Amino acid sequence: MDQQAAHEPAPTSPRRAIAVLTSGGDAQGMNAVVRAVVRTAIANGADVYAVYEGLQGLVDGGDRIRKFTWSSVGSILHLGGTVIGTARSKEFRTREGRLKAAKNMVDHGIDRIVVCGGDGSLSGTDLFRSEWSGLLAELVETGGITQEQADRHANLIIAGTVGSIDNDMVGTDMTVGADSALHRIIEAIDALGSTAASHQRSFVVEVMGRHCGYLALMSAIAGGADYALIPENPPPPGWEEDLCDLLRTGRAAGRRDSVVVVAEGACDRNGDPITSAMVRDLLEERLGEDVRVTILGHVQRGGTPSAYDRWMPTLVGYAAALEVLDAGEDHVPHVIGVRNNRIARTPLMEAVARTREIPTLISAGDYEGAMAARGSSFREMVRVFDGIAHAKPANPAEESARIAVLHAGGLAPGMNTAVRAAVRFGISRGHTMLGVRGSFQGLIDGKIEQLSWGDVEGWVAIGGAELGTSRHIPTIEQFYAVSRAIENNEIDALLIIGGHRAYEAAYQMLQQRDRYPGFNVPVICLPATIDNNLPGWEQSIGADTALNEIVYAVDRIKQSAMASRRAFVVEVMGRYCGYLAAVGGMSVGAERVYLHEEGVHLQDLIRDVTEMTTSFKHGRRFYLAIRNEEASVGYTTDFLCQLFDEESGHDFDVRPMVLGHLQQGGNPTPFDRVHATRLAAFSVDWLSSQIELGRSQWGFIGMQDGALASIPLKTMPDLVDMEYSRPLEQWWTEMRPVMDILATEPSGA
Ligand code: ADP
């Protein structure tokens, strides 16, 4: 996008005024939407008003409709909830209320709205839009506004963004707040897990979701729970005994704790509610266990937004603001959401209607229909969860295949989660699962052991790599030893979980494949690296955790720096891939990011220094630059700090902060756990089908036609810049202009 054009309104166009409001239930990340809308509007030469207390604020008018400036939305990205308030408004449901709202808007010259809320808020706003001309005509008639005002604001233009922790909206992969809610739930389940394990207790955890099982299902997967009860997929008759059996076998297989996750809207196949208290009573009665219920309630809405709930709503808010600013008279309102990390637009009332259809299907007992409406990945995750939650015997059928799992490359949080899922899913398919300790060298040295269902207990939540990983990959001279190890251990298939070094090793082995009989087995590479620099897959396992570590650290740095006047240059990992720097920068609202992909140039530095020193003179308290570790050979983090310090004129001081291995540590985030599980199950499925078909292809995980696929490994050089070990096309670079626009106040705004 042409950044210059974005900052300059067309000279002939009248000044546009846009309102932004948050409505309905609050959700973490709403502030990021507000910030993005406000700054995009200002950067495009429009006036922007924040409406306090949701749609009720439109009805009330007065100081509930406030003109915002660039700095009105400074330092709000990290705050939970919504700084402009939200409410449920009875008055807005009446025509009278909407008449007042229309007058208040016209009085402020506003005829465009970006609303962030659930299906109620979106449909209410759309009703307002459809009535707009009638409301204005009535206001003219009663003398509330002039005909000229009515003519000037003949149309109301709206765009919807979805703020809802439930992730219950059709038309977007994720709603604003859902990822943060998962963070809260997983924090709780992890904490309960340790106390439950100490006492061999069972916990029933109730999570939000009256009509949507997303939070329950994903938290059960990410939390390593035993059972999940969700509204769309009620358990079959006799579920009570199945559940007790499952917990008994889990205990026998080595579990010390049991966790059952219940969505608040869970029901049985007759549509009768299944409450957390009912599940507790059942387990106490039939298992004689000490069972505790934890109802998470509003904790799920609280706390600071996750990294995802900062960068995704920023993208969405930016796109929604442009949508209403650019709209013509015949504009059709849309919900602005995301599909595969890209902005996706769905006609607003279609999205609302399809969303509302699901509770109707559930009430009618059409669970097939409800599951289908949730989409294929949701259904897939139900299947995967079923596969890993049921403890299966450690000794599989005699004719089972032997699948080995190993790591290679740098450490990535989520590696353990992937191994656990592969082992349990593999066992559920009747395979013998082997863990290789110490990467390829361990394979050569025969450090291979059979892993049982119980051996990987607890691995879902822990960072690091229990099997060990290494950046050392086999040399050509070692290929013979690797091949012999595969043959000697009768390995039928290999799952390599790791980063660029893992992919490189597999690719080099593939080149020599004809020479080594041991290499005649199927191999799949699963992307796990915080650098997110692999072909085929857009968010490798570990990258989300690293982003959250960056956000966590920078939030604290920011707080400390606000007390004085300070600039920070924060160095992040990523090798030659700028993903962590760019998306991390967007998530924390950095003023500047330095990436290897773009290079660092003297003229940029001069511009940055000028901007920085001027803004500190005008009252800035904090300036944040994020530098990728390999952004430039000469312009190092220390160099940048010295340069900025030298030019600061004692108006501010400058500090470096190298985040280092903090980014690789930490327990995996819910996103990384869910995806590690999904990708591991896919890998086992794919390897199984290769074995069944007598094939031995080598591939890495990717997407084809919107579905998970194994991409032939031989295509790697066509997709990767081998010199800098990163994909030739990097999807996230599309976000770069958004960041630039939101980071710097246009002069004269
Ligand atoms: P959510 O937006 O989270 O779904 P609600 O369903 O409570 O939350 O809707 C939020 C607000 O949107 C309501 O309090 C009301 O002001 C407005 N609203 C919802 N539905 C309508 C409607 N059919 N007509 C007018 N306003 C509505």
Side-chain angles (χ1 to χ4, degrees):
M1 122 156 276
D2 181 350
Q3 193 187 334
Q4 206 54 37
H7 283 240
E8 284 171 12
T12 51
S13 57
R15 197 153 175 94
R16 296 152 298 174
I18 145 175
V20 58
L21 60 90
T22 51
S23 171
D26 65 319
Q28 307 96 324
M30 283 180 154
N31 288 325
V33 174
V34 173
R35 174 177 175 272
V37 171
V38 167
R39 293 197 168 175
T40 307
I42 293 173
N44 282 275
D47 289 335
V48 58
Y49 292 83
V51 180
Y52 281 69
E53 315 310 331
L55 294 165
Q56 184 60 42
L58 275 187
V59 178
D60 295 342
D63 74 347
R64 293 220 156 152
I65 303 180
R66 293 183 212 164
K67 190 164 178 191
F68 263 28
T69 63
W70 191 267
S71 56
S72 309
V73 289
S75 291
I76 64 167
L77 260 180
H78 64 292
L79 301 174
T82 158
V83 292
I84 59 172
T86 177
R88 300 194 198 268
S89 166
K90 277 199 183 124
E91 256 189 295
F92 194 81
R93 286 184 184 272
T94 65
R95 193 169 191 282
E96 238 177 311
R98 295 193 290 275
L99 195 67
K100 285 189 202 164
K103 172 158 168 51
N104 287 328
M105 285 186 53
V106 173
D107 284 348
H108 283 88
I110 305 167
D111 52 18
R112 294 154 211 260
I113 304 178
V114 174
V115 55
C116 180
D119 60 321
S121 307
L122 301 193
S123 62
T125 311
D126 192 60
L127 176 67
F128 187 40
R129 178 200 60 84
S130 66
E131 289 176 345
W132 182 256
S133 54
L135 294 170
L136 262 50
E138 191 176 330
L139 286 170
V140 172
E141 218 173 282
T142 53
I145 60 170
T146 64
Q147 184 61 50
E148 197 237 330
Q149 280 180 304
D151 293 343
R152 208 175 323 129
H153 303 291
N155 296 296
L156 175 63
I157 292 162
I158 65 167
T161 62
V162 193
S164 159
I165 64 163
D166 293 343
N167 203 24
D168 52 355
M169 190 71 152
V170 174
T172 185
D173 287 347
M174 287 293 274
T175 56
V176 173
D179 185 60
S180 304
L182 269 184
H183 274 253
R184 295 301 94 78
I185 299 171
I186 292 310
E187 282 154 19
I189 293 184
D190 284 356
L192 289 174
S194 50
T195 160
S198 310
H199 293 276
Q200 293 226 14
R201 251 186 205 138
S202 294
F203 271 94
V204 180
V205 179
E206 183 180 309
V207 302
M208 284 187 171
R210 259 175 296 157
H211 308 295
C212 181
Y214 177 87
L215 289 179
L217 176 64
M218 299 307 164
S219 63
I221 291 170
D226 302 72
Y227 205 82
L229 288 152
I230 60 172
E232 301 89 336
N233 188 34
W239 64 271
E240 294 91 338
E241 203 40 47
D242 288 349
L243 167 58
C244 293
D245 266 355
L246 189 137
L247 297 191
R248 275 188 212 107
T249 43
R251 283 266 197 246
R255 286 204 70 138
R256 288 189 55 83
D257 62 322
S258 304
V259 177
V260 177
V261 182
V262 184
E264 61 179 333
C267 55
D268 63 19
R269 295 238 150 211
N270 298 320
D272 295 325
I274 301 177
T275 64
S276 42
M278 284 163 65
V279 178
R280 177 200 53 209
D281 295 346
L282 172 77
L283 300 184
E284 279 185 345
E285 203 179 289
R286 299 206 190 170
L287 299 178
E289 290 212 359
D290 184 14
V291 185
R292 301 293 160 93
V293 172
T294 299
I295 298 175
L296 290 178
H298 280 75
V299 164
Q300 295 161 86
R301 291 192 190 282
T304 187
S306 65
Y308 183 78
D309 272 329
R310 300 182 192 204
W311 67 259
M312 183 275 278
T314 297
L315 266 192
V316 161
Y318 166 82
L322 285 188
E323 170 103 1
V324 294
L325 288 170
D326 294 343
E329 277 175 15
D330 51 356
H331 177 252
V332 176
H334 281 78
V335 167
I336 312 295
V338 282
R339 275 252 183 277
N340 299 322
N341 301 316
R342 312 295 191 288
I343 290 299
R345 300 165 71 248
T346 312
L348 189 141
M349 285 318 288
E350 180 193 321
V352 168
R354 284 173 54 205
T355 299
R356 290 182 171 169
E357 197 187 338
I358 299 176
T360 313
L361 290 168
I362 294 173
S363 320
D366 183 357
Y367 303 116
E368 270 299 302
M371 285 295 285
R374 283 273 173 250
S376 56
S377 5
F378 189 83
R379 192 197 290 262
E380 171 65 10
M381 291 314 285
V382 169
R383 184 183 78 90
V384 169
F385 181 60
D386 271 358
I388 55 176
H390 293 59
K392 290 286 183 334
N395 299 319
E398 265 174 30
E399 69 279 11
S400 78
R402 290 163 65 80
I403 300 180
V405 186
L406 67 77
H407 297 304
L411 184 63
M415 281 179 153
N416 286 327
T417 319
V419 174
R420 169 188 179 269
V423 166
R424 291 194 171 175
F425 201 72
I427 291 172
S428 81
R429 294 201 54 144
H431 300 310
T432 299
M433 299 305 293
L434 306 170
V436 179
R437 290 199 184 268
S439 196
F440 281 103
Q441 189 60 49
L443 180 63
I444 294 170
D445 297 342
K447 292 185 180 152
I448 300 163
E449 65 193 75
Q450 184 174 341
L451 292 174
S452 71
W453 195 91
D455 289 336
V456 290
E457 174 62 18
W459 289 23
V460 73
I462 45 175
E466 293 291 302
L467 292 179
T469 185
S470 168
R471 287 193 194 276
H472 292 289
I473 57 174
T475 58
I476 291 189
E477 293 72 39
Q478 290 177 309
F479 282 3
Y480 176 73
V482 173
S483 167
R484 289 295 299 165
I486 294 173
E487 288 177 298
N488 290 344
N489 291 284
E490 295 172 351
I491 292 170
D492 297 308
L494 191 57
L495 166 59
I496 307 176
I497 299 170
H500 208 277
R501 295 293 279 165
Y503 280 50
E504 206 181 313
Y507 180 75
Q508 285 171 9
M509 284 160 65
L510 180 68
Q511 301 310 299
Q512 302 288 323
R513 181 177 178 172
D514 294 344
R515 303 179 56 197
Y516 302 101
F519 292 178
N520 199 25
V521 296
V523 173
I524 191 160
C525 298
L526 186 156
T529 166
I530 65 163
D531 299 339
N532 201 26
N533 59 349
L534 295 171
W537 195 248
E538 294 195 341
Q539 278 166 294
S540 54
I541 306 306
D544 184 62
T545 307
L547 272 184
N548 277 283
E549 295 291 343
I550 292 169
V551 162
Y552 179 85
V554 173
D555 279 355
R556 270 140 201 83
I557 291 169
K558 233 176 170 168
Q559 259 176 15
S560 78
M562 294 295 253
S564 48
R565 290 154 70 83
R566 190 164 283 170
F568 263 99
V569 180
V570 175
E571 182 181 302
V572 301
M573 285 180 162
R575 301 192 160 249
Y576 291 100
C577 171
Y579 177 81
L580 289 180
V583 181
M586 188 141 134
S587 306
V588 293
E591 274 68 32
R592 184 73 170 97
V593 298
Y594 298 105
L595 310 177
H596 183 268
E597 286 86 346
E598 298 169 351
V600 185
H601 308 289
L602 185 58
Q603 60 270 34
D604 297 336
L605 295 179
I606 294 170
R607 191 197 61 196
D608 296 344
V609 165
T610 313
E611 239 170 55
M612 185 187 304
T613 48
T614 317
S615 63
F616 272 107
K617 278 198 194 324
H618 287 94
R620 175 187 286 283
R621 305 198 63 79
F622 179 68
Y623 182 101
L624 176 66
I626 303 226
R627 181 183 173 280
N628 159 266
E629 59 184 353
E630 302 285 357
S632 159
V633 176
Y635 299 137
T636 61
T637 300
D638 282 341
F639 175 90
L640 294 181
C641 286
Q642 276 170 24
L643 173 73
F644 298 157
D645 200 37
E646 201 65 33
E647 297 294 327
S648 69
H650 304 296
D651 283 337
F652 57 96
D653 56 26
V654 186
R655 295 276 194 280
M657 172 65 68
V658 179
L659 294 183
H661 284 81
L662 187 83
Q663 296 156 89
Q664 282 185 332
N667 293 335
T669 54
F671 183 93
D672 277 334
R673 297 185 198 185
V674 167
H675 286 270
T677 304
R678 180 177 175 218
L679 299 191
F682 170 80
S683 302
V684 170
D685 272 341
W686 186 80
L687 291 172
S688 306
S689 68
Q690 287 282 309
I691 295 167
E692 276 159 28
L693 297 168
R695 291 194 187 143
S696 51
Q697 292 171 349
W698 288 33
F700 55 85
I701 292 182
M703 292 284 275
Q704 236 160 29
D705 304 325
L708 279 174
S710 171
I711 312 287
L713 192 62
K714 64 172 189 271
T715 63
M716 195 166 131
D718 303 335
L719 303 171
V720 173
D721 176 341
M722 294 304 258
E723 187 182 354
Y724 293 120
S725 313
R726 66 185 178 219
L728 287 167
E729 281 180 28
Q730 303 196 87
W731 64 274
W732 52 268
T733 54
E734 291 169 27
M735 292 191 214
R736 196 66 180 87
V738 185
M739 227 199 104
D740 284 341
I741 285 171
L742 300 193
T744 322
E745 183 171 6
S747 50

